[in-house]
Amino acid sequence: MSAASPTSSVHNLENRSSIKRLTREHFALYRGYLDGVSIEQLHATYGDATTDVRATRRLIELLRDTLSGAARRTRDVEATHLLRLRPGSIPEAQRLAASEMPTLEAYREAVDPNGFHSEAELLELYRAEFPLENAPGVDRRTTRNARLRRRQVDALARMEVSLVQAPQRDHPVASWLEPAIAGRLQRTGIHTLADLLGFVEQRGHRWHASVPRVGPKAARRIVDWLALHADSLRHTLSKRAVTPRRRLSSSDPGLARPRQSGIVPIESLDVPAEIDGSNGTNRARNLIFQCSLNTDLQAIDAWLATRQHSPHTARAYRREGERLLLWAVNEKNKALSSLDNIDCAQYIETFLADPQPAARWVGSAKIERFHPDWRPFVGGLSDRSRETARAILHAMGQWLVDQNYWASNPFSGSPAVAIDARIDVSGRSLDHKQWQSVVRATSRDRYSQRELRDYLALNLAYSTGLRRAELAYATTGRLTHTALRSTIDKGWQLAVPGKGCAARIIPVPQAVMELIFESLRARGLPGDPGACPVDTPLLAHFRTGKSLTPDGLGQVFRRLFSWTAPLSTAQSLADLRNRPNASTHWIRHTHSHYALESGADCREVQARLGHANLSTTLLYVKARRHGQVASGKTGVLPNR
């Protein structure tokens, strides 16, 4: 029987003499047996697909002994006898039409060949079944058999009421699940049903991936069994535990973690009252302009609400505020509003460079926020990242001072972190031969939907110079086209949102637009972007059709670079050494180099790339020159 099957608590029956726990499903199985249902049918309904019919037959024999023994202990003589009757012991009237009333010896041989009952018990049963001395007629036999069958049903019902058990949270998993599955769970540290429920809730729909040798099918049966007994277990599995992650959006309430202390995302953080900031030593005490914010969590939430310029900006600001609050509460055991200049300097200069203990603070970038293994860091921060964090937190501190929440900004005394040039473009772009290697490796005579999407991503990035997130969020609704030299020749442009209301208008070459048309048709959409819903992503997941995340797009480019054939030039060794680090930004640098090489004005390139300062764009001018790249299907040239 499967891990979720009704009688899964009694596997390996040949090694057992009794059943530990009787469930309602056990009684359903035995009721079907007494009703005359074939063993084969009972096995198909209640048995384990990994065993044969003999396992169900042994279970029925064990149930007969267990139920009869329990009835005998309670002095229920009638149930003791009736529950041992085999199917056919209460025959139909047609089979008794020509029969005579049996003798007591014949009756004993028929119903108690093993001498289970005493002489007095057997006589009592005999008289109950055959109250008249003379053989009854057919109608009397029919009435007697119906009465006896009802008594058998009643006897089984009495035993079910007194013996049946429902799974409880403190029951061992070995009492309910098949031994093989229970053993694998126990080796993972899951010993009780409460442990199992907590494990499934924490790990989500793919919880079984953390249990060796428990696959999706077995996990599905276990989850179904837990859902079947939700009332007795006093727990209904959450939406996240029973729904595949791909069917839940990142904002779905089912992904929210319960409020708790420790290293958890800020939206799930429960800060102890004594350090929640309501009485922080750095709280402003201006009675005239009192702040409406009471706790540090409220203050950070209010600050983040004013910094929703773009999804990327919102994530960056939330990340820094979240890290600082978690550090203050868990490492310093202080309210955020009690940190001083020394604490903030230690945080920027020491902790961010090497978050310790690493097991507590550092995790994988692939783990989502709702997962229990989520951590706020993926490693120590570089000097530039620490300077970015300092600047963001300094701005947050100043905002809190302006809101009359903090008395002073503790980050005012933290010196800027010394960093090199903002963008290192040297050696982080592709020359003519390298680019051609990438194009050759990704070109196909015929593309699958996924290959076409990847090839489009490569050419769209190269021809526009967009950042990874900007590529991920590009949609058909942001594409426009206008007449150039005639009403037939159309020029396509892509609007790229910026901070606030600013937006960049990027020209898209016709060759890239042809790839977009082809990609849309391959996805079953109209080839005309204007005929598609405005939120249709240009670069979509090839199975779900939803937008790729920036990280997902980064994986696309890493895969594209991994396909590139090794270069045959003298600098191959150095190129191959750097190639594993190639990223989406390399294509952006390559676009910038070529645009400047082709004579584009620096300010034009600055506007196209979205650089806030011209000095950033001028870094590309100082870099080494690159050869030209052919246009068309062998690599699309950026527009001038």
Side-chain angles (χ1 to χ4, degrees), residues 356-393:
Q356 291 295 330
R360 189 180 194 189
W361 290 99
V362 180
S364 170
K366 296 182 179 180
I367 296 177
E368 295 190 82
R369 294 175 65 81
F370 63 82
H371 197 280
D373 290 339
W374 173 87
R375 296 294 182 269
F377 294 91
V378 295
L381 303 190
S382 65
D383 290 345
R384 180 167 298 283
S385 295
R386 287 192 296 121
E387 170 56 19
T388 299
R390 186 203 65 80
I392 291 175
L393 294 175

Side-chain angles (χ1 to χ4, degrees), residues 109-235:
E109 185 64 28
V111 302
D112 191 24
N114 298 321
F116 185 83
H117 298 292
S118 67
E119 187 73 19
E121 291 173 344
L122 187 67
L123 186 58
E124 180 182 349
L125 294 170
Y126 180 80
R127 288 174 176 172
E129 292 190 40
F130 304 100
L132 300 178
E133 293 294 337
N134 300 321
V138 174
D139 291 340
R140 188 177 296 276
R141 289 194 183 95
T142 302
T143 302
R144 177 185 63 84
N145 292 337
R147 183 176 65 251
L148 191 59
R149 184 70 188 91
R150 286 195 300 270
R151 288 165 56 198
Q152 187 182 50
V153 171
D154 292 342
L156 187 63
R158 290 198 303 274
M159 300 306 298
E160 183 173 1
V161 170
S162 62
L163 297 178
V164 71
Q165 293 191 47
Q168 302 296 322
R169 294 173 62 87
D170 60 344
H171 287 174
V173 291
S175 296
W176 292 99
L177 305 182
E178 61 182 77
I181 294 294
R184 293 162 192 166
L185 294 174
Q186 289 168 335
R187 286 190 288 274
T188 310
I190 303 171
H191 300 286
T192 67
L193 294 179
D195 294 338
L196 178 58
L197 287 168
F199 193 87
V200 174
E201 288 290 6
Q202 283 191 337
R203 304 284 169 165
H205 183 258
R206 285 190 52 79
W207 64 271
H208 60 276
S210 302
V211 183
R213 299 181 62 198
V214 172
K217 291 184 179 179
R220 181 70 263 172
R221 294 198 301 269
I222 292 173
V223 167
D224 289 343
W225 185 85
L226 292 174
L228 179 66
H229 297 286
D231 290 341
S232 63
L233 292 172
R234 304 188 308 281
H235 183 92

Side-chain angles (χ1 to χ4, degrees), residues 334-478:
K334 282 185 175 183
L336 186 72
S337 297
S338 295
L339 296 178
D340 55 28
N341 297 82
I342 296 176
D343 293 328
C344 293
Q346 177 189 0
Y347 176 76
I348 297 295
E349 296 172 7
T350 305
F351 181 74
L352 289 184
D354 185 20
Q356 291 295 330
R360 189 180 194 189
W361 290 99
V362 180
S364 170
K366 296 182 179 180
I367 296 177
E368 295 190 82
R369 294 175 65 81
F370 63 82
H371 197 280
D373 290 339
W374 173 87
R375 296 294 182 269
F377 294 91
V378 295
L381 303 190
S382 65
D383 290 345
R384 180 167 298 283
S385 295
R386 287 192 296 121
E387 170 56 19
T388 299
R390 186 203 65 80
I392 291 175
L393 294 175
H394 181 276
M396 181 188 76
Q398 192 57 50
W399 186 86
L400 294 176
V401 170
D402 294 341
Q403 300 302 309
N404 200 39
Y405 184 80
W406 277 359
S408 62
N409 185 357
F411 286 95
S412 296
S414 299
V417 180
I419 55 177
D420 297 326
R422 180 167 180 79
I423 299 179
D424 177 18
V425 299
S426 178
R428 294 175 61 84
S429 58
L430 305 175
D431 62 20
H432 170 80
K433 292 183 179 179
Q434 292 171 329
W435 171 249
Q436 288 298 333
S437 295
V438 174
V439 171
R440 286 195 301 270
T442 56
S443 297
R444 302 285 188 274
D445 292 333
R446 296 187 64 180
Y447 293 93
S448 67
Q449 183 178 332
R450 181 177 182 176
E451 291 171 338
L452 180 59
R453 188 273 315 274
D454 293 353
Y455 190 67
L456 169 60
L458 181 69
N459 282 278
L460 185 60
Y462 178 71
S463 62
T464 61
L466 295 180
R467 300 179 178 92
R468 186 177 68 174
E470 294 168 342
L471 289 167
Y473 299 136
T475 63
T476 54
R478 300 190 184 280

Side-chain angles (χ1 to χ4, degrees), residues 34-165:
L34 294 179
D35 286 339
V37 179
S38 69
I39 301 295
E40 291 74 17
Q41 181 60 44
L42 291 171
H43 177 72
T45 304
Y46 296 97
D48 182 359
T50 62
T51 64
D52 60 26
V53 70
R54 290 175 296 179
T56 300
R57 184 177 290 111
R58 288 194 298 271
L59 173 58
I60 291 172
E61 293 171 356
L62 184 55
L63 281 170
R64 180 189 303 119
D65 294 339
T66 301
L67 294 173
S68 298
R72 191 181 186 91
R73 286 193 300 273
T74 60
R75 300 184 182 277
D76 190 340
V77 177
E78 183 180 49
T80 304
H81 162 69
L82 292 174
L83 295 179
R84 293 190 68 85
L85 293 178
R86 291 177 173 80
S89 297
I90 310 175
E92 299 293 336
Q94 293 84 339
R95 296 176 56 189
L96 285 175
S99 300
E100 297 293 334
M101 183 174 63
T103 64
L104 181 61
E105 287 68 23
Y107 179 75
R108 182 198 303 276
E109 185 64 28
V111 302
D112 191 24
N114 298 321
F116 185 83
H117 298 292
S118 67
E119 187 73 19
E121 291 173 344
L122 187 67
L123 186 58
E124 180 182 349
L125 294 170
Y126 180 80
R127 288 174 176 172
E129 292 190 40
F130 304 100
L132 300 178
E133 293 294 337
N134 300 321
V138 174
D139 291 340
R140 188 177 296 276
R141 289 194 183 95
T142 302
T143 302
R144 177 185 63 84
N145 292 337
R147 183 176 65 251
L148 191 59
R149 184 70 188 91
R150 286 195 300 270
R151 288 165 56 198
Q152 187 182 50
V153 171
D154 292 342
L156 187 63
R158 290 198 303 274
M159 300 306 298
E160 183 173 1
V161 170
S162 62
L163 297 178
V164 71
Q165 293 191 47

